[in-house]
Structure formats: C-alpha cells, structure tokens
C-alpha cells in the first residue's frame, strides 16, 4: 500500500510539474514571437529619436544573423548539456539583450544589443519543440505542436497592435522592457517544471565546427541581405561574401567528419528522411516569405488600403494556419505524415496560383480567401516536418534534428525574400521600360525634369516608382490629368510584376512538393522520447 501511494504521489508530482512546464513553454514562445512584430511597429519612432535612418535595416539584420546562426548550435548543446541549462541560458540572454536595447542611446548601441538579443532568441526558438519531443509520445506531440503553432500565429497577429499601443501610450523603450517581467516568469516556470539531464559526464565541444559554421552562415546571410540592394550582385563585396561562405562551409564539412561531438553530424546529411523533410521545409519557406513580403504591396498599391490596413491582411492566413495546425495535429495520426504533407503542399501551391491571378479588379475579400488557402496549406505542413523528424530519430539526436528543421526554414525564408525581391525588381524594370517610359515621352517640355527623374528611378530602383500609387501624399502632388495618364499603367505594371513573383514562388513550392513525394512511410506512434526525470 505504501509503495502504491508513493507511486501515485510521484505521478501526481510529475503531472503538476508538466503543467507548470507547459505553461512556461507557452509564455516563452509567446513573448519570443511577439518581439519581432512589436519591434517592427516601433522602428519609425526609434529612428525618429536616435537618428541613423541609413542604419535602420541593421536592427533587423543583426537580430536575424545571430538568431539564425545560433539555432543548430543550441540544438546540439541541448543534447550535450541538457534542455534546462540551455533553455534558461537562452531566456536570460534574451532578457539581458532586451534590457540593454531599452537603455540604448545611439543606433549603433541598439544594433549591437539587438544582436545579443538575437542570440537568446535563436536559442529559445527550437527549445520548446525539443522539450515537447522529450515529454510526449508522437501522438501527443502532434496535438501539442498544433497548439504551439497556434500560439506563434496568434503572436504574429497581436504583435503589430500591441506594438502600436506601447509606442503610442508609453515609449518605444517599453517595446523591449516588456520582455523583462514576462521573461522572468518564463524562467521561473521552466526552472520549476524542467529537470536537467546530461547525456554524458564528459563533454567535448566542437569549437572548430561552431566557428566555421558561424562564419559560413553569416557570410551567406549578409550576401543574401545586401546583394542587389546595397551592392550589385557582381560587386566584389557580394562575391567575396559568397566565396567566404563556400570556403567555410567546405571547412565545416571537413571539421565535422573528424569531430567527436559534431554540431551537425555528417551522417544526418546522408539520411534520406532528414534531407527530404528539411528540403520540403526549405522550399516551402522560400515561397511563404514571398507571399508575406508582397501581398501588402498589392493591397496598398492596387486595392488602395493603408499600410496598417494592409498589415491586417495577414490575419486570414495566420488564422487559417492556426486552425490547420490544430486539425493537422490530429489528422496526421490517422493518415500519416506523407499524405498530409503532400496535401498541405497542394494547398500551398493552390494559394500561390490564386495569388498570381489577382488583377486590378480583385477586391480585398477575394485576396483574403486566397491568403486563407495558403494559410491552411502551411498549417498542415509546418508542424508535421518537426514532428516527423522527432519520430524518426533517437532521443540522443532530438535537439539537433529539431533545431535543424528551424534552421533550414529560416535560411529558406532569407533566400526566398532575397530571390523573389530580385525577381520583383527585374520584372518591374522590364515592364516599366516597356509600358511606363513611353508615356513619359508624351509629356510637355516643361515636364522633362520629372521625366528624367523617373527614368533614373526605373534604372536604379524600379520598385520606388510605385510610390506614386502607394503614397497618397505623393499622388496629390501630381496634376489630375497626369494621374489619369500614369496611375492605370503603374497599377497594371505592378500587378504583372507581382503575378510573376507569385508564379516563381509557385515553382519553389512545386520543388518542395516533389521532395514531399519521396517521404517514406512515417506513422505517428505512442513511442515517447521523454528524457529521464522529466527532462
């Protein structure tokens, strides 16, 4: 009787700690996801106070560089040192970085502190999914990952509104300070609910692997960020960055073959399931970020919505993504991974095709239905990729395979934003030269200065020409007769360019669909990956 009572007490303690831990995971994910969208809303006010408009892009770039680079390293360290140590460390770094950002007096300081904050964010991002992989069976994970995907989607919707309220009611510094109490709460809950577990007493860090991977990834991300924007793609700066990335990726592979505890075991790259699932995630992200970037441009330029109104157009996609994540978590147990991923990719492809059919007569409700279609597809695919990787690989590799899923999708998103942005610029230039510049030849002689200005813009920065239809204040400065002459042509040019961009996004989704066809038979079981002592 005493033994039975002791077992029951132990089980009750485990269940209580599990509840505390899940609450902590949800809090950590919510405030980590909110940060990106809240900060974006505050950027104009930050630049207004600190100055440094030319450096504004670095506030996002610095965070992106450090957070993306640290993800696979965090996953490996979690396998070596235990989830609790790494998770709490990531939260602490994020909190410290947030506090420093709030105290920044110059733009340079803020950029450095955002990079520190990014290190913490990059550690936090994969940890929730890793811990879920430890705690639950495959069937339970399918349900919970849908819930966590919903929380992430909710943060994307709420972020701009919360950020706007903070900036208007308090001060932009509170965009960062608000992370402190929420982050501390997450640390307390996770510390109480999560026991630490180390895979070995003696750990040898792969410092050479870390260094070569960091240099390779940072070089690649910088090249993708600045190529075609600050520097020409064939400039020595971009070529040097790409060459550096190739060299250090090669060194990384060489180092990993000899390392005792490699950051990215090379044998994973020979595993069909690992390569196929991460390839699906990569190509899906290439297309997804294209939609997120360019749909607001269509809403503002063609439909005539304000920037804040066009931001709400993400709501149908995110809401559909949340619903599909929750439904998909249950559906995948019945139909398996491969059919669900294939079905989801078909919906994503359909969403992109529908977006490519939008024209100057498309209304916002039609566009919202297209975005919802895309969201449903993403919701069926996104959580299942991580879930399948956790199902296939052993507990000892759970951290690295989970973080790899996040890493490849982030790289795919950066690659997609760069490539589709370049396509948008190229198509805009060709279309403007064919349809818009001939109109300028019809202007009277006194308007030649404006004609020359437009010609320079078409040559150097084609997308900036659309500011005529994107900015009502700019449009008011143009005589009514010229508006009637220019606006229809600019709108049609913008529609044609965006249609091509969405079709290119569809091509990448199609490549992801082909990879999905090669997913093996993976069923979600009741096998648990749970670490000892409630890890």
């Amino acid at each position: 009787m005493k033994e039975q009572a002791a077992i029951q007490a132990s089980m009750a303690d485990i269940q209580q700690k599990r509840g505390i831990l899940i609450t902590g995971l949800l809090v950590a994910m919510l405030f980590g996801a909110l940060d990106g969208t809240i900060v974006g809303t505050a950027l104009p006010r930050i630049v207004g106070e600190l100055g440094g408009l030319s450096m504004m892009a670095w506030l996002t770039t610095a965070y992106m560089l450090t957070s993306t680079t640290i993800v696979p390293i965090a996953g490996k360290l979690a396998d070596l040192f235990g989830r609790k140590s790494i998770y709490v460390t990531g939260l602490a770094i994020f909190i410290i970085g947030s506090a420093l950002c709030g105290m920044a007096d110059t733009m340079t300081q803020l950029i450095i502190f955002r990079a520190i904050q990014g290190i913490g964010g990059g550690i936090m991002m994969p940890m929730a999914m890793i811990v879920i992989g430890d705690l639950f069976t495959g069937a339970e994970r399918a349900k919970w990952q849908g819930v966590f995907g919903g929380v992430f989607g909710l943060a994307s919707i709420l972020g701009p509104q919360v950020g706007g309220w903070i900036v208007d009611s308090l001060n932009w510094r509170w965009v960062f300070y608000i992370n402190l109490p929420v982050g501390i709460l997450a640390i307390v809950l996770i510390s109480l609910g999560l026991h630490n577990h180390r895979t070995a007493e003696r750990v040898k860090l792969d410092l050479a692997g870390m260094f070569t991977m960091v240099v390779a990834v940072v070089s690649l991300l910088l090249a993708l960020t600045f190529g075609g924007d600050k520097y020409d793609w064939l400039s020595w700066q971009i070529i040097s960055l790409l060459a550096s990335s190739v060299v250090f990726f090669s060194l990384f592979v060489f180092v990993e073959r000899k390392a005792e505890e490699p950051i990215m075991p090379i044998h994973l790259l020979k595993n069909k399931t690992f390569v196929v699932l991460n390839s699906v995630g990569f190509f899906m992200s290439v297309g997804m970020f294209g939609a997120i970037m360019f749909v607001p441009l269509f809403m503002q330029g063609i439909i005539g919505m304000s920037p804040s109104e066009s931001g709400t157009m993400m709501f149908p996609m995110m809401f559909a993504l949340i619903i599909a994540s929750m439904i998909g978590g249950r559906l995948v147990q019945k139909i398996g991974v491969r059919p669900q991923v294939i079905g989801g990719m078909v919906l994503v492809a359909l969403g992109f095709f529908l977006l490519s059919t939008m024209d100057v007569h498309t209304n916002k409700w039609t566009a919202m239905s297209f975005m919802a279609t895309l969201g449903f597809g993403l919701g069926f695919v996104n959580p299942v990729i991580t879930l399948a990787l956790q199902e296939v690989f052993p507990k000892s590799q759970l951290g690295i395979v989970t973080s790899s899923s996040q890493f490849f999708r982030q790289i795919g998103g950066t690659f997609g934003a760069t490539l589709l942005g370049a396509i948008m610029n190229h198509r805009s230039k060709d279309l403007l030269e064919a349809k818009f510049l001939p109109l300028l030849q019809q202007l009277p002689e006194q308007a030649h200065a404006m004609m020359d200005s437009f010609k320079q813009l078409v040559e150097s920065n084609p997308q900036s020409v659309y500011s005529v239809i994107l900015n009502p204040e700019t449009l008011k400065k143009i005589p009514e007769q010229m508006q009637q002459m220019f606006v229809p042509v600019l709108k049609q040019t913008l529609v044609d360019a965006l249609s091509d961009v969405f079709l290119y996004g569809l091509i990448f989704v199609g490549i992801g669909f082909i990879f999905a066809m090669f997913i093996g038979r993976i069923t979600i079981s009741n096998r648990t990956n749970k670490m000892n002592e409630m890890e």
Side-chain angles (χ1 to χ4, degrees), residues 22 82 110 228 290 342 363 415:
I22 290 172
L110 186 56
I342 290 174
N363 60 50
F415 180 77

Side-chain angles (χ1 to χ4, degrees), residues 218-294:
V218 169
S219 297
L220 175 62
L221 292 176
L222 285 174
L224 292 176
T225 301
F226 295 134
D229 182 15
K230 290 186 178 298
Y231 303 104
D232 186 80
W233 281 106
L234 296 179
S235 67
W236 68 265
Q237 291 94 338
I238 301 302
I239 291 175
S240 297
L241 286 170
L242 291 173
S244 172
S245 181
V246 170
V247 169
F248 278 94
F249 267 125
S250 301
L251 289 173
F252 174 71
V253 172
F254 176 78
V255 167
E256 295 303 273
R257 290 183 183 277
K258 300 180 178 296
E260 289 184 31
E261 291 287 353
I263 292 297
M264 178 72 73
I266 297 301
H267 69 81
L268 289 179
L269 300 178
K270 300 177 182 178
N271 184 288
K272 175 189 170 185
T273 301
F274 182 87
V275 172
V276 167
L277 287 171
N278 281 318
S279 295
V280 172
F282 175 86
F283 286 107
M284 181 185 66
S285 295
V286 171
M288 181 181 74
F289 278 82
I292 291 173
M293 279 177 62
F294 293 111

